[in-house]
Amino acid sequence: MWSTLPFDVLAKIFSFLSPDSLACARSACRQWHTCARTYPSTLPQHHQAWFLALPTRNRGQCCYVHNPVVDKWHMLSLDFLPDPIRPVASIGTLILVRPTNCTILQLALCNPFTRQFKYLPMLNITRTNPAVGVVILEPGQPGPNPDFRVYVAGGMSEAPRGGATYEATLEMYDSVDDAWHIMGFMPVEFAVRLTVWTPNESVYSDGVLYWMTSARAYSVMGFHLGSHTWRELSVPMADRLEFAALLWRNGRLTLVGGTCGEDACIWELTEGDGWGLIEKVPIELGIKFLGGKRSWGSTKCVGSEGAICLYREFGSGMVVWREIEEKVRWEWFWVEGCHFIRDKQVQNLQIKGSGNSIVS
Amino acid sequence: MSMAAVETKKITLRTADNHEFEVEEAIAMEFSTIKTFFDENPDASEDTIPLPNVTSKCLSAIIEYCKSHLAFRARETSSSIDEQVRTYDEEFVKARDNESLKELILAANYLNIKALLDMLNQAVADRIKNKSVEYVRRFFGLENDYTPEEEAAIRAENEWAFEGVDPDDD
């Protein structure tokens, strides 16, 4: 009987279903509903990633998701959230989020499709604005959910005699024991850079957790998990880039950035910490995306396995570079901005995007 | 002049319904569960391995699959080989009903054959992609065990996903 399939087997089947098909599967019977809720999956997802748009000022308490297969937008209610949130990183089908109504960092896991929300425990050292990174571990046992770790570095904390100070400790959350562990220290100048100048998601590649920092000129900071050492990488055209984002693509650290009046570029980290240019945004798409302007200033970028999305506000379109044939061919697409969902007009909102990303 | 006969090592497997299968070592090593067992017990290779969770019907299909894929992998990679692999996989699942697919999934999961399991899971996912909830229930023989209130609540939650599904064809 399919209704009595063990949950670990069923959870693997579910990882092959896109969010809309999974919604139907969940609705079929109690067992399947329980499985989908018990194992919101950190497993690698075997379907095209969906772009999730979260309004930055969460007035409407909803988010929008884009189905790339049929080029359709859906609205999902977020009324199950206790507080407004901002996305930080994706972990399989889950999103790591932080509530925006408090300045000290607290993290939570959220699945807008199954309407689940769970706070992680508080950090050992409370701090504001640290850099946050996520690593999903290789599935060790054939269990349904690979474990993951969250790294928090830098930030500002309360100084012993009042006032604030840059926090030089690094903490790690382990999903195995649901607890934070202090991992060590970092040079204070790195803590400063990671605190003030790191608005974006981290990328894990080849044993190193990377963050983009943007103090005057862009640069990349990397934390090697094995040896607990830090290093810095330079970035091409660092002082001229108007936007820059780090992504993981095809097993390599990837950088997307644009300079005024020119095509946006995609680089890949090569041996010896150099960057090789692998692609440029096609001119016509760039012009359409910028609406005739020359500045890439308000551009943001997210990526996932098999897709890179450049986006601005919700009503503007997106430029997507998507894997068509596994590891062989990628193509550029235009995604129309969302103005109507089911004939109801949608506001043109500032958004923060998130793709379902898989990192190992 | 006689050819030096290379003795290919054979492993004996016994299924749930007490049939014994002799398979070449190379094929048995495709089953990660068995490979791990031999890595940990190198002296056990002469013994018969019991597979209480696998029927003979399943095992013979799985052996065929592994044999064919090993043969594909031995040839030089090319797009025509990829095409042949795709065709083989499609044929492997096409004629099977849900019950036998389910048994194969459970067996592939137990024996830990990742490529086969991924392929079967994808096949099941393809069969219910873009279908209505009723279709999914009928297809898998699932009973709707929600109360009317629960069903209404779940439908409201997942309403966004229900537009645009394929019309049910019986």
Side-chain angles (χ1 to χ4, degrees):
Chain A
M1 278 276 89
W2 286 92
S3 59
T4 54
L5 267 182
F7 279 1
D8 63 327
V9 177
L10 193 55
K12 281 183 205 159
I13 296 177
F14 284 172
S15 74
F16 284 81
L17 292 177
S18 57
D20 50 347
S21 296
L22 184 54
C24 287
R26 275 204 292 281
S27 310
C29 70
R30 283 227 169 102
Q31 276 288 91
W32 284 31
H33 194 256
T34 307
C35 180
R37 281 184 74 82
T38 317
Y39 295 109
S41 193
T42 53
L43 273 172
Q45 299 294 298
H46 298 271
H47 55 83
Q48 275 188 39
W50 285 32
F51 180 87
L52 170 87
L54 259 162
T56 49
R57 277 161 224 119
N58 257 130
R59 278 179 304 246
Q61 285 277 70
C62 66
C63 67
Y64 302 93
V65 291
H66 181 254
N67 182 343
V69 176
V70 292
D71 189 16
K72 191 168 178 189
W73 288 93
H74 296 281
M75 186 193 85
L76 297 178
S77 166
L78 293 177
D79 59 4
F80 62 97
L81 293 178
D83 301 299
I85 54 168
R86 267 186 93 96
V88 171
S90 17
I91 310 179
T93 57
L94 295 172
I95 311 176
L96 186 68
V97 298
R98 54 166 287 242
T100 52
N101 61 350
C102 61
T103 46
I104 60 164
L105 179 78
Q106 192 175 8
L107 293 170
L109 290 171
C110 172
N111 184 333
F113 296 106
T114 59
R115 300 166 60 80
Q116 289 171 292
F117 181 86
K118 186 190 111 167
Y119 279 112
L120 294 185
M122 293 296 288
L123 276 75
N124 290 302
I125 300 174
T126 54
R127 53 187 91 202
T128 59
N129 289 329
V132 181
V134 176
V135 177
I136 303 178
L137 305 176
E138 282 291 320
Q141 271 65 48
N145 261 346
D147 298 304
F148 64 92
R149 294 184 170 151
V150 181
Y151 292 83
V152 167
M156 296 201 75
S157 58
E158 234 179 81
R161 276 188 281 271
T165 180
Y166 286 103
E167 182 53 53
T169 56
L170 177 83
E171 287 194 59
M172 180 194 85
Y173 169 84
D174 197 334
S175 67
V176 172
D177 61 359
D178 190 30
W180 289 93
H181 308 267
I182 296 187
M183 300 295 284
F185 294 87
M186 59 205 287
V188 174
E189 55 274 19
F190 290 172
V192 175
R193 302 260 306 279
L194 289 175
T195 301
V196 187
W197 306 110
T198 315
N200 298 308
E201 282 185 35
S202 70
V203 174
Y204 176 73
S205 174
D206 213 12
V208 180
L209 205 44
Y210 293 98
W211 286 276
M212 176 73 78
T213 72
S214 55
R216 280 200 302 275
Y218 283 100
S219 73
V220 172
M221 302 211 53
F223 178 67
H224 188 258
L225 296 180
S227 61
H228 285 205
T229 51
W230 290 88
R231 57 196 246 251
E232 211 179 321
L233 298 175
S234 63
V235 157
M237 301 192 281
D239 52 348
R240 292 199 291 130
L241 290 176
E242 294 183 308
F243 85 96
L246 280 182
L247 309 160
W248 184 88
R249 175 188 170 272
N250 275 1
R252 299 260 179 92
L253 185 66
T254 304
L255 172 67
V256 183
T259 52
C260 189
E262 294 185 17
D263 304 326
C265 298
I266 302 180
W267 294 272
E268 214 173 60
L269 190 69
T270 55
E271 299 291 327
D273 286 357
W275 295 94
L277 180 69
I278 55 169
E279 184 75 7
K280 286 188 178 189
V281 175
I283 298 175
E284 335 75 64
L285 282 182
I287 293 173
K288 198 169 175 181
F289 180 73
L290 295 178
K293 304 203 177 73
R294 289 159 50 83
S295 164
W296 294 90
S298 60
T299 304
K300 289 169 268 190
C301 180
V302 287
S304 69
E305 182 104 353
I308 293 180
C309 298
L310 292 161
Y311 68 99
R312 291 162 62 220
E313 301 89 33
F314 191 45
S316 329
M318 299 198 296
V319 171
V320 180
W321 196 36
R322 184 169 288 135
E323 189 174 36
I324 298 301
E325 241 180 275
E326 200 177 316
K327 293 201 182 352
V328 169
R329 215 157 45 93
W330 284 59
E331 269 178 32
W332 288 96
F333 294 88
W334 173 260
V335 175
E336 204 52 57
C338 185
H339 303 284
F340 288 91
I341 292 183
R342 290 166 113 171
D343 301 324
K344 213 174 132 206
Q345 190 168 27
V346 173
Q347 278 181 300
N348 191 13
L349 304 163
Q350 294 288 324
I351 54 172
K352 176 91 168 47
S354 182
N356 306 100
S357 72
I358 318 111
V359 185
S360 66
Chain B
M1 177 177 160
S2 63
M3 299 268 276
V6 178
E7 272 286 311
T8 51
K9 183 106 188 276
K10 294 252 203 281
I11 311 279
T12 311
L13 307 168
R14 191 188 314 122
T15 60
D17 44 348
N18 256 324
H19 285 192
E20 287 195 359
F21 285 78
E22 256 195 10
V23 291
E24 287 174 23
E25 189 179 26
I27 296 182
M29 291 298 122
E30 292 286 288
F31 308 170
S32 296
T33 309
I34 292 189
K35 178 170 187 310
T36 310
F37 175 74
F38 281 142
D39 287 345
E40 291 166 3
N41 303 283
D43 302 324
S45 55
E46 297 301 321
D47 305 343
T48 302
I49 311 284
L51 302 175
N53 293 348
V54 186
T55 62
S56 51
K57 182 158 152 255
C58 271
L59 188 59
S60 65
I62 289 176
I63 289 171
E64 274 314 305
Y65 178 90
C66 291
K67 228 190 238 172
S68 307
H69 271 250
L70 269 174
F72 282 129
R73 290 213 298 269
R75 294 155 69 183
E76 243 181 67
T77 43
S78 72
S79 57
S80 85
I81 298 284
D82 290 345
E83 185 62 43
Q84 287 177 42
V85 171
R86 262 195 296 273
T87 309
Y88 178 86
D89 285 352
E90 272 168 29
E91 293 298 320
F92 189 83
V93 295
K94 203 160 69 167
R96 293 185 198 279
D97 61 15
N98 292 343
E99 190 55 36
S100 84
L101 263 191
K102 189 196 69 162
E103 279 186 35
L104 282 170
I105 286 177
L106 287 168
N109 187 64
Y110 171 73
L111 294 169
N112 198 0
I113 311 168
K114 186 174 186 304
L116 175 59
L117 186 58
D118 282 352
M119 196 271 288
L120 293 171
N121 284 341
Q122 181 72 69
V124 170
D126 288 344
R127 288 187 183 190
I128 60 173
K129 238 178 350 194
N130 228 32
K131 300 289 191 200
S132 68
V133 178
E134 285 74 28
Y135 184 96
V136 172
R137 284 179 184 145
R138 270 204 314 266
F139 193 77
F140 291 111
L142 301 171
E143 205 186 291
N144 176 9
D145 52 357
Y146 293 124
T147 66
E149 294 79 31
E150 284 170 337
E151 169 130 33
I154 286 172
R155 284 207 162 248
E157 259 174 40
N158 294 301
E159 187 60 47
W160 62 274
F162 296 150
E163 37 176 303
V165 297
D166 294 344
D168 294 354
D169 39 82
D170 277 286

